[in-house]
Amino acid sequence: MLKKTLTLLLLVLSFTLHSKVINENPKKVFGSSPPMNYLIYAINPSKMVGLNFYANNINNNADVKFLKQSFLELPVIGSFPGSGQGINLETIIKHNPDLILIWEDVYFYKRVEEQIRKAQIPSITIPFRKIESMPSSILTAAKAMNEHKRGKILSDYTKERIEYIKNMLQELEPVKYYYAEGADGLATECSDSMHVEALNFAGGENVHKCTQSNLKGLERISFETLVGYDPQVIIAQNRLVYNTILSNPLWKHLQAVKNKRVYVVPSTPFNWIDRPPSFMRIIGIEWLAHNFHPTHYKNDIYTQIAKFYKLFLDVELTQEQIYQIIGEKE
């Protein structure tokens, strides 16, 4: 309780400090990172002035069927150290945003804050790593964007779904999982990595227990190490890794493969759990809980997916599309 209270106070303090310079009704908003850009999209896409990454990339299936054309056509107007292209303040200033959302959970966010301060652009810092912080973070971002009603709707829904998963997991033993990345599936994440927050929250236990050794993660392991772990479930970061696992005869010795418990993370329109760790994790934790603990997850996962897409992306999914998104139909 004390920890939650302190977190709330820090959020309020952060908002208060920044709010002195924030336009009360910002019309143009920019995000310092992919998670913040996606969050702005969920709150009000018409206020976006640009992206700091390419909308279509190897980690997603961004498509006009699931996203607004205006989003897909947004210019890339600036990135920040550690996120690819290097900072481009001049371009950001040229687009004159009223507000920038800064993602708090990256190692270099202080440098981002400093650069934005030099440019005298109003900003607010948002934590978005921890699953349980998402409802309050959504609310804070929406308030800063003067989208109070929308923020409350999204925040309330997120809180309700998080509570459902937490209650479902009470007294359940975690399922031991391996998160397979890289072309050969032998890159993974340490148990304390931000890249596996959703997997850990949804009732999983990472078999690779270590401390992240670099900024990007993607720790290499040997196949012999993986055999020693022998996970109950394998979560493949993308379709390429998934196909590698199922086609390589060596992997068939693992119990997860023998028991047909290998799953590929949905990535339409954005990855559901990682790279980036965005609001899509709200449906990601449901999908993971459904696969980790199929006899205890009592909701209709198809219905939950449809609800989530309608609420956050304003998309009415057909049953056929849901099957395709979660890989039940090619």
Side-chain angles (χ1 to χ4, degrees):
M1 178 61 76
L2 179 59
K3 186 177 178 182
K4 286 184 177 178
T5 303
L6 287 172
T7 301
L8 180 60
L9 286 172
L10 286 172
L11 276 173
V12 171
L13 178 60
S14 173
F15 182 74
T16 302
L17 288 173
H18 290 77
S19 66
K20 292 177 181 177
V21 292
I22 288 178
N23 184 330
E24 290 184 356
N25 188 20
K27 302 294 185 187
K28 295 187 292 184
V29 186
F30 181 64
S32 74
S33 61
M36 292 298 101
N37 281 285
Y38 288 162
L39 181 57
I40 297 166
Y41 183 85
I43 293 171
N44 186 344
S46 71
K47 292 189 173 181
M48 300 187 79
V49 292
L51 298 169
N52 69 343
F53 60 99
Y54 292 104
N56 293 99
N57 59 65
I58 60 172
N59 291 322
N60 67 41
N61 289 303
D63 188 279
V64 72
K65 286 185 291 188
F66 308 102
L67 297 164
K68 297 184 185 304
Q69 186 68 43
S70 57
F71 171 83
L72 296 171
E73 293 176 348
L74 282 170
V76 177
I77 66 172
S79 187
F80 293 94
S83 55
Q85 303 172 48
I87 194 165
N88 190 343
L89 271 178
E90 287 186 4
T91 309
I92 294 173
I93 291 170
K94 182 181 173 183
H95 284 79
N96 194 29
D98 301 314
L99 172 68
I100 294 181
L101 302 188
I102 301 171
W103 184 26
E104 184 184 273
D105 305 300
V106 285
Y107 299 104
F108 49 84
Y109 91 90
K110 285 291 184 185
R111 276 186 287 159
V112 175
E113 277 188 333
E114 184 180 341
Q115 292 292 327
I116 291 173
R117 193 177 300 115
K118 287 179 183 174
Q120 298 185 321
I121 302 171
S123 65
I124 182 170
T125 303
I126 305 286
F128 215 67
R129 169 175 175 162
K130 297 292 184 185
I131 299 296
E132 289 183 281
S133 76
M134 287 199 292
S136 59
S137 295
I138 291 170
L139 204 54
T140 302
K143 284 180 178 176
M145 291 173 61
N146 195 31
E147 301 288 345
H148 301 255
K149 184 178 178 182
R150 174 73 173 158
K152 187 169 188 332
I153 291 171
L154 298 184
S155 176
D156 286 352
Y157 175 88
T158 304
K159 187 175 182 180
E160 178 212 324
R161 300 320 302 164
I162 287 174
E163 287 302 314
Y164 172 79
I165 300 296
K166 283 176 61 179
N167 290 333
M168 185 203 88
L169 294 173
Q170 286 183 358
E171 300 179 8
L172 286 182
E173 289 291 324
V175 168
K176 293 184 179 178
Y177 73 84
Y178 173 69
Y179 185 37
E181 300 175 283
D184 61 359
L186 295 177
T188 190
E189 304 298 334
C190 289
S191 46
D192 69 346
S193 168
M194 74 161 66
H195 299 291
V196 292
E197 288 280 348
L199 295 117
N200 295 338
F201 184 86
E205 179 183 343
N206 193 342
V207 293
H208 192 51
K209 302 195 184 315
C210 55
T211 298
Q212 189 169 319
S213 64
N214 62 76
L215 285 176
K216 290 187 176 180
L218 297 171
E219 314 281 341
R220 295 293 303 176
I221 68 167
S222 67
F223 191 77
E224 289 71 23
T225 299
L226 180 57
V227 170
Y229 289 154
D230 198 17
Q232 295 170 275
V233 171
I234 296 175
I235 301 294
Q237 201 262 348
N238 56 51
R239 177 65 60 178
L240 175 64
V241 182
Y242 178 81
N243 291 338
T244 297
I245 292 169
L246 295 191
S247 63
N248 188 330
L250 286 175
W251 290 70
K252 293 178 181 175
H253 298 288
L254 301 172
Q255 63 166 321
V257 180
K258 289 178 186 172
N259 297 330
K260 301 185 185 306
R261 300 196 71 187
V262 182
Y263 308 100
V264 59
V265 179
S267 57
T268 300
F270 317 125
N271 190 291
W272 283 17
I273 66 170
D274 183 30
R275 300 190 190 281
S278 72
F279 71 86
M280 294 300 292
R281 295 180 300 167
I282 298 161
I283 190 62
I285 59 174
E286 298 227 36
W287 173 78
L288 286 165
H290 167 72
N291 288 315
F292 283 157
H293 303 282
T295 60
H296 292 85
Y297 182 86
K298 301 297 185 186
N299 282 299
D300 181 334
I301 188 65
Y302 307 105
T303 299
Q304 290 305 128
I305 292 169
K307 281 183 182 176
F308 174 85
Y309 272 67
K310 178 59 182 171
L311 183 58
F312 280 82
L313 299 170
D314 194 25
V315 172
E316 297 269 8
L317 290 178
T318 65
Q319 197 68 29
E320 186 86 357
Q321 287 175 321
I322 294 174
Y323 292 148
Q324 290 175 344
I325 287 170
I326 62 176
E328 293 188 2
K329 188 172 184 178
E330 297 293 335

